Amino acid sequence: MAAMHEDDSPELTQVARILKDVLDIPDIPLKARKLVVKICDVVTRRAARLAAAGIVGILKKIGRDGSGGITGGRSRSDIKMRRTAVAVEGSLYTQYTMFREYLHEALNEILGEDIARHVVVIVTEDGSGTGAALLAASHSSENVNNIQLI
């Protein structure tokens, strides 16, 4: 999808090739190829906006969206914003330029530019392994007194 979406050739030759090779649809007219690119754009924009909404939901929960969190009760103007790093992993973000752009655009729109400039999206490696280690460490530190020997 990314290759078709980012095909900027006048005849959309990548789109034609992918439709032929992958979906076995030969000889598709240029008008239909343009429609495929438009559909890719709509789907990508929606996916990026949904991902951004999830990120904003987490930021809201921890009080990094400018609202003070679920128990903060302070207004956006009362809060001095700290920089927040959001770690992402995977080729959808790193290699699909349009998805990345739409994600940042949605974060700016949802949070507002004043808040969004404090949110930095960074690429990480082995996020699932790191997340599992952090979860295990937090779980074991909470239950250190509740260990049962069997």
Side-chain angles (χ1 to χ4, degrees):
M1 190 165 102
M4 290 191 296
H5 189 200
E6 295 178 343
D7 184 356
D8 59 359
S9 65
E11 295 295 314
L12 299 173
T13 53
Q14 268 297 65
V15 176
R17 184 193 59 76
I18 291 169
L19 290 173
K20 182 177 179 251
D21 295 349
V22 176
L23 299 176
D24 201 24
I25 304 173
D27 305 323
I28 188 161
L30 180 60
K31 186 175 181 178
R33 293 192 300 263
K34 288 180 179 180
L35 181 60
V36 167
V37 172
K38 181 64 178 166
I39 292 168
C40 290
D41 187 68
V42 169
V43 169
T44 302
R45 187 179 297 269
R46 178 169 167 76
R49 292 181 68 76
L50 288 170
I55 291 169
V56 171
I58 293 168
L59 294 174
K60 185 174 186 70
K61 175 83 172 168
I62 63 173
R64 295 292 184 94
D65 70 328
S67 70
I70 57 174
T71 60
R74 296 186 293 180
S75 71
R76 287 174 95 117
S77 60
D78 295 341
I79 297 170
K80 176 158 173 43
M81 288 298 299
R82 296 184 309 184
R83 182 175 172 205
T84 302
V86 176
V88 296
E89 177 183 23
S91 61
L92 181 61
Y93 183 82
T94 60
Q95 296 178 15
Y96 195 170
T97 307
M98 294 304 297
F99 179 85
R100 185 172 53 250
E101 289 175 8
Y102 289 156
L103 178 73
H104 290 274
E105 176 183 287
L107 287 172
N108 280 325
E109 184 180 331
I110 297 167
L111 291 170
E113 288 185 27
D114 289 343
I115 304 299
R117 65 185 168 94
H118 296 285
V119 177
V120 180
V121 180
I122 57 170
V123 177
T124 185
E125 304 270 333
D126 192 27
S128 55
T130 303
L134 289 171
L135 181 62
S138 70
H139 182 70
S140 64
S141 68
E142 289 175 8
N143 297 315
V144 73
N145 295 327
N146 296 329
I147 296 174
Q148 286 185 311
L149 298 175
I150 300 176

